[in-house]
Amino acid sequence: MNNTILTAAVIAFCLATAAGQAKVLTNDPLTGLPLISATDSGKHIGGPTQMPDYQICKSKFQGNFYSLFNIKVDAAAAWYSSHLSGFKKVSGYASERSQTAFYNSDGTIVVIVTGDKGAQGENTNAYAVAYERYQPGLSEKAITALTRGNIVCQ
């Protein structure tokens, strides 16, 4: 009888623990693109932070924001370079942070890796990654301007 109660208690505890843990995402739900494993702190605390919708130039913006953990900017950029086939890459520096953007050919999908504060050219820890959708797409000039902290509409 005691074994039955103990077994039931262990099963109930395991089910409760499993139900309380968030699923680790492998793809961004907005864009469908792969997520770097560094978006998981190891605590499995959930999905992205949805960024507010707004307009940039004449494009509707939607975005998801993820904190990054235990990875340098260069390593994160290398991972995205190898996982975003066909995407172009541009880098900039604004507000004491590096910005590395990857974007598709029509400028409708942009992924931006942002570094911790540091000197220009310094390989700091990566701070966050944003997955962004623009309708209609942004020009290459506008995307490059985003990595430099300004907006250029054309």
Side-chain angles (χ1 to χ4, degrees):
M1 179 72 143
N2 285 342
N3 283 343
T4 304
I5 293 171
L6 179 60
T7 301
V10 168
I11 290 171
F13 175 76
C14 290
L15 290 174
T17 301
Q21 291 181 351
K23 181 182 175 189
V24 176
L25 294 176
T26 56
N27 292 80
D28 173 60
L30 175 66
T31 64
L33 294 175
L35 280 170
I36 192 169
S37 62
T39 59
D40 178 22
S41 67
K43 296 179 183 174
H44 312 302
I45 55 176
T49 300
Q50 188 175 354
M51 300 164 78
D53 293 354
Y54 61 93
Q55 188 144 344
I56 295 180
C57 301
K58 294 181 181 179
S59 298
K60 178 184 173 188
F61 165 87
Q62 295 175 292
N64 285 332
F65 175 92
Y66 301 85
S67 294
L68 291 174
F69 303 92
N70 302 317
I71 190 167
K72 295 284 191 177
V73 167
D74 287 354
W79 188 92
Y80 280 103
S81 288
S82 69
H83 286 80
L84 298 178
S85 178
F87 278 58
K88 295 180 181 180
K89 175 183 166 186
V90 64
S91 297
Y93 181 78
S95 302
E96 299 179 44
R97 295 179 184 271
S98 65
Q99 305 275 335
T100 305
F102 300 88
Y103 59 97
N104 64 357
S105 61
D106 63 2
T108 57
I109 303 292
V110 181
V111 176
I112 301 177
V113 175
T114 301
D116 278 345
K117 287 190 174 188
Q120 189 167 1
E122 181 181 355
N123 185 23
T124 63
N125 287 324
Y127 171 73
V129 62
Y131 286 69
E132 302 175 352
R133 178 183 300 278
Y134 296 91
Q135 293 296 330
L138 295 177
S139 69
E140 186 170 341
K141 188 173 185 177
I143 295 167
T144 300
L146 287 176
T147 68
R148 296 182 180 147
N150 57 31
I151 304 294
V152 175
C153 296
Q154 290 195 357

